[in-house]
Structure formats: structure tokens, C-alpha cells
Amino acid sequence: ALEVARTCVAAAVGGGDAARALGVNDDELHKTLGAAFEMLMEVVESAPSALVKANIGAIAQVSLELAHGAGADADVRAHGFHALTALAAYKCKLVAKNGELLEHLVGLGAKATGEWDEADDDDDDESDESNVRSLGCALLDTLGAAISSAPLMGHVDTALQRLTAEGADAHTWCAACTVLGMVAEGIVDLLAEKKTGAPRLAAYVQLLCRGCLHADAHVRAAAALGLGEFARH
């Protein structure tokens, strides 16, 4: 399944020319890709942790490549997101111990939550399940619920620093606010500590309050959601 997934991902990310080079059309490629990732998810969900641990690098690599694949349609990239979300949900202990993987997952979720097109707002036919922003939110939400505070917090801060460094456009602001909202549940324990948590919580809330005043409606909505999640947890 991994070898099939690798071949299909390379073709899917490469676009139509890459698929034709394999002698298949887009429909055949998508069906094969979907079947391969269904098998990977079955392994992630049901196989013993030892088996998943032995292959976690390969599973994560092929899934991350597809999820990041800007040359592929959102419904194709969704296979990668779903596999990574399942990995975080069903093998959370393995993910928590793998700092590099956890950093990649938080970074992917953060990047995805800043992806939207103005046409998305008016596209009634687009499925929420295959919308890249929604896929990123689902991944971050799963990480927040499944991964304990200590391993998660540092990677959240790293993602926020990278977002801030990239500039303060609406997509960046939306991504930063959404990250905080989605992982609030997972980092609440550390934020409750007076010495180290209070200053960090104050900085997070300040960022979200600034987001509520942003000119873009996407940013305001993400910031309001983030504040609500911190208040709830």
C-alpha cells in the first residue's frame, strides 16, 4: 500500500502529465490513490502500535507530501489529511514522542487554515470535508484533543512565530487565530500554571483580541472562535 501510495502521490501532485506518464487517466489515478490511503488508514487505526511505529516515517512522509500538494485538487489532498488526522487520533502516543512529526503536523494544519479563496464563500457545491481549510482545522482539533500539553505547546509557539514572520496579511492572521482556537483544549493545562502559563495565555488572548478588530471577516470569525474555545476550556 505504501509503494502504491507513493507512486500515486507523485502523479497526483505532478498533475495530469505525470498521471498520463503512468498510462492512467485522472479517474483511475484518484481511485487507486483512494484505495491505497484507505489501506494505510486501516493500518493506522487497527494495527498494533509496534507495526505502525516501524512504518510511521514512511506513512507520514507520503501523507504529508500529498496534503501539501498544491498541484492537486483539495479532494485529492484530503486523503493525506485524513491519514495524518487518523495517525494523531489513534496513535497519539507515537506522535507525541516524535517531535519532528508533531512539528510537521502543526505546521501543516497552520498553513492549511490560512488557505481560502474568495470564491469559496459563494461556492455552495464545495464539500466542507474536502475544503483545505476545514481539513487543517480538523487536524489541529484532533492534535489539541489527543496530544498532551507539554509536547504540543512548543510546536504551537513555533508555528505562531513562523506565521508572524511571514507578514500580517489576512491569511496569516486567520491561520494564527485558528491555530489557537483548535489547540486550546490541548494546551489548557500548561496555561493554567501561574508562573509560565499566565504570560503565554495573556499573549494568546491579546493576539485573538487584535484579530477580532481585523478588517477581514475571515480573521474576525477565527479570532472570535479562538476566544470562545479558551473561555470554554
Side-chain angles (χ1 to χ4, degrees):
L2 274 171
E3 290 303 320
V4 173
R6 287 194 187 100
T7 302
C8 291
V9 167
V13 173
D17 291 340
R20 285 189 289 273
L22 293 175
V24 298
N25 58 40
D26 288 344
D27 289 340
E28 292 171 333
L29 175 63
H30 292 174
K31 288 180 181 178
T32 305
L33 182 68
F37 270 87
E38 282 184 12
M39 294 173 65
L40 289 183
M41 289 185 64
E42 184 66 26
V43 170
V44 168
E45 294 175 12
S46 306
S49 293
L51 177 60
V52 177
K53 182 179 180 179
N55 295 278
I56 193 170
I59 294 172
Q61 182 179 11
V62 71
S63 301
L64 284 165
E65 184 179 353
L66 183 59
H68 276 295
D73 293 336
D75 59 341
V76 174
R77 294 172 65 186
H79 293 300
F81 276 97
H82 291 324
L84 294 168
T85 302
L87 194 61
Y90 291 95
K91 297 296 185 286
C92 55
K93 291 182 179 179
L94 293 179
V95 173
K97 293 178 181 178
N98 191 324
E100 184 178 1
L101 174 56
L102 185 54
E103 181 179 356
H104 283 308
L105 294 182
V106 173
L108 170 65
K111 182 176 182 295
T113 58
E115 288 190 37
W116 82 79
D117 189 289
E118 297 303 330
D120 292 347
D121 297 336
D122 301 320
D123 190 353
D124 295 332
D125 294 329
E126 186 176 27
S127 169
D128 284 343
E129 293 183 356
S130 63
N131 177 281
V132 173
R133 175 171 161 73
S134 296
L135 292 166
C137 287
L139 174 59
L140 290 171
D141 187 49
T142 301
L143 289 171
I147 307 297
S148 60
S149 298
L152 186 61
M153 180 79 84
H155 297 297
V156 170
D157 284 343
T158 298
L160 291 176
Q161 290 170 3
R162 287 177 178 172
L163 287 169
T164 303
E166 290 172 2
D169 63 2
H171 290 269
T172 299
W173 266 101
C174 187
C177 293
T178 304
V179 167
L180 288 176
M182 292 298 100
V183 303
E185 180 180 357
I187 62 177
V188 66
D189 290 342
L190 284 182
L191 293 178
E193 296 180 2
K194 292 184 178 180
K195 290 185 178 180
T196 59
R200 189 178 253 134
L201 176 59
Y204 291 167
V205 171
Q206 183 179 26
L207 185 152
L208 292 169
C209 287
R210 290 172 61 194
C212 287
L213 300 176
H214 199 278
D216 191 280
H218 295 90
V219 179
R220 295 197 301 273
L225 173 64
L227 286 173
E229 288 299 304
F230 275 101
R232 184 162 71 94
H233 295 294

